[in-house]
Amino acid sequence: MKMLSDIIKNLVRKPSTEKYPYTKKKTPKGFRGKHEYDREKCIYCGLCAKACPVHTIGVIRDKKFWQLDLSKCIFCARCEEVCPTKCLKLGNEFEMASDKKEDFIIK
Ligand code: SF4
Ligand code: SF4
């Protein structure tokens, strides 16, 4: 009897599968995707570089230089947590595969 009710339920319910990549998957709240960096708000304090456990952020205050190499990032979000101006945050983008090293550099 249980089997019969399961069959009927499964016949009428929507499919569990998603049509990714044809429809973009919605990310959950607090998702740690590709960084979003607002150069205009950055004060080049270097706190993000100091907090990064894998040393993948480079900051030179005098030259107003800021760079992040995503290929080494472990997406821990420490850099976002310490940024005083909130100009750096981990966004929702998760499609980052590339065979070009320069595609992993955020400036
Ligand atoms: S998310 Fe973590 S590993 Fe990636 S750049 Fe920020 S502090 Fe570094
Ligand atoms: S912590 Fe924020 S303001 Fe400071 S250098 Fe990093 S991104 Fe810029």
Side-chain angles (χ1 to χ4, degrees):
M1 202 59 192
K2 167 126 177 46
M3 194 169 132
L4 186 64
S5 76
D6 283 349
I7 289 170
I8 293 166
K9 261 191 251 163
N10 284 320
L11 279 174
V12 293
R13 96 173 171 198
K14 282 182 9 188
S16 300
T17 49
E18 295 174 18
K19 290 186 176 174
Y20 180 81
Y22 304 107
T23 53
K24 188 95 174 174
K25 192 163 169 55
K26 202 170 172 224
T27 54
K29 194 172 180 280
F31 185 79
R32 297 177 188 171
K34 186 178 181 179
H35 299 62
E36 292 169 3
Y37 171 61
D38 185 346
R39 177 170 289 281
E40 298 301 312
K41 283 194 201 160
C42 182
I43 56 172
Y44 303 94
C45 63
L47 289 177
C48 53
K50 276 189 194 149
C52 179
V54 293
H55 311 291
T56 196
I57 303 174
V59 182
I60 307 171
R61 185 183 288 191
D62 301 341
K63 294 185 179 172
K64 293 199 167 182
F65 173 88
W66 186 97
Q67 184 174 292
L68 189 157
D69 182 355
L70 270 179
S71 67
K72 295 180 194 154
C73 178
I74 56 169
F75 297 88
C76 66
R78 281 291 292 137
C79 52
E80 176 183 326
E81 285 164 21
V82 299
C83 180
T85 64
K86 307 287 175 216
C87 67
L88 180 63
K89 68 177 187 120
L90 277 72
N92 293 314
E93 183 57 60
F94 58 86
E95 293 173 325
M96 292 177 259
S98 174
D99 59 358
K100 295 187 198 87
K101 190 144 176 64
E102 58 269 26
D103 289 345
F104 295 99
I105 304 295
I106 300 175
K107 292 181 182 176

